[in-house]
């Protein structure tokens, strides 16, 4: 089953409880490919949920202007949308994968670099599954 190349609301992490568990729980793993860091964990899959949930964070500390933060988030979303089949097909049916992309750089990057870093991180996560 290949996932369609979309990024729907159901695929986003919106639960504060899930976010807290991802960042403070002891079951998370972290990888970096500058200018991105990815934090991910596997959870028990619940009926009716997407197999992969994604959170994108661009701290105000890095970019003070919302227009810059929004640009970076758009770049990450688009890169994830294009390459999500690398990870969605690797998740076992009984598991759910929660992923957070965190921007590390103070500089804007071209979309090609963001795209290649997201692809690299997703491939590395798929190998760890």
């Amino acid at each position: 089953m290949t996932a369609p190349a979309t990024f729907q609301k159901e695929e986003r992490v919106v639960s504060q409880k899930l976010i807290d568990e991802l960042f403070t729980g002891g079951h998370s793993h972290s990888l970096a490919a500058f200018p991105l860091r990815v934090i991910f964990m596997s959870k028990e899959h619940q009926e009716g949920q997407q197999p992969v949930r994604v959170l994108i964070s661009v701290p105000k500390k890095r970019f003070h202007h919302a227009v810059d933060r929004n640009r970076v988030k758009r770049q990450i979303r688009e890169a994830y949308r294009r390459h999500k089949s690398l990870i969605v097909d690797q998740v076992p049916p009984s598991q759910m994968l929660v992923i957070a992309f965190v921007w590390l750089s103070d500089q804007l990057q071209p979309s090609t670099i963001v795209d290649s870093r997201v692809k690299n991180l997703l491939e590395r996560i798929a190998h760890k599954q």
Side-chain angles (χ1 to χ4, degrees), residues 102-117:
V102 181
W103 189 261
L104 301 175
S105 177
D106 293 340
Q107 303 290 319
L108 292 173
Q109 299 289 333
S111 294
T112 54
I113 290 176
V114 175
D115 190 74
S116 69
R117 298 306 195 279

Side-chain angles (χ1 to χ4, degrees), residues 79-95:
Y80 172 75
R81 184 193 67 79
R82 292 182 63 213
H83 300 293
K84 76 176 187 177
S85 62
L86 295 171
I87 194 79
V88 171
D89 298 337
Q90 301 295 325
V91 179
S94 63
Q95 293 291 311

Side-chain angles (χ1 to χ4, degrees), residues 24-125:
T24 61
H27 306 301
S28 299
H29 304 284
S30 178
L31 299 170
F34 194 79
L36 284 168
R37 172 174 296 284
V38 68
I39 297 120
F40 64 97
M41 71 174 184
S42 290
K43 275 188 66 79
E44 191 77 22
H45 187 266
Q46 295 166 355
E47 197 63 37
Q49 289 188 341
Q50 295 289 333
V52 179
R53 292 261 174 114
V54 177
L55 169 76
I56 299 171
S57 174
V58 182
K60 195 181 281 191
K61 177 180 177 182
R62 302 289 178 208
F63 294 111
H64 299 292
H65 298 194
V67 66
D68 295 329
R69 290 192 302 275
N70 292 340
R71 175 177 183 236
V72 171
K73 287 190 276 189
R74 269 196 313 274
Q75 288 176 313
I76 296 169
R77 272 195 307 266
E78 176 63 12
Y80 172 75
R81 184 193 67 79
R82 292 182 63 213
H83 300 293
K84 76 176 187 177
S85 62
L86 295 171
I87 194 79
V88 171
D89 298 337
Q90 301 295 325
V91 179
S94 63
Q95 293 291 311
M96 176 175 80
L97 190 63
V98 182
I99 303 173
F101 289 98
V102 181
W103 189 261
L104 301 175
S105 177
D106 293 340
Q107 303 290 319
L108 292 173
Q109 299 289 333
S111 294
T112 54
I113 290 176
V114 175
D115 190 74
S116 69
R117 298 306 195 279
V118 169
K119 182 179 179 186
N120 175 288
L121 288 167
L122 291 175
E123 289 171 344
R124 289 165 59 191
I125 292 171

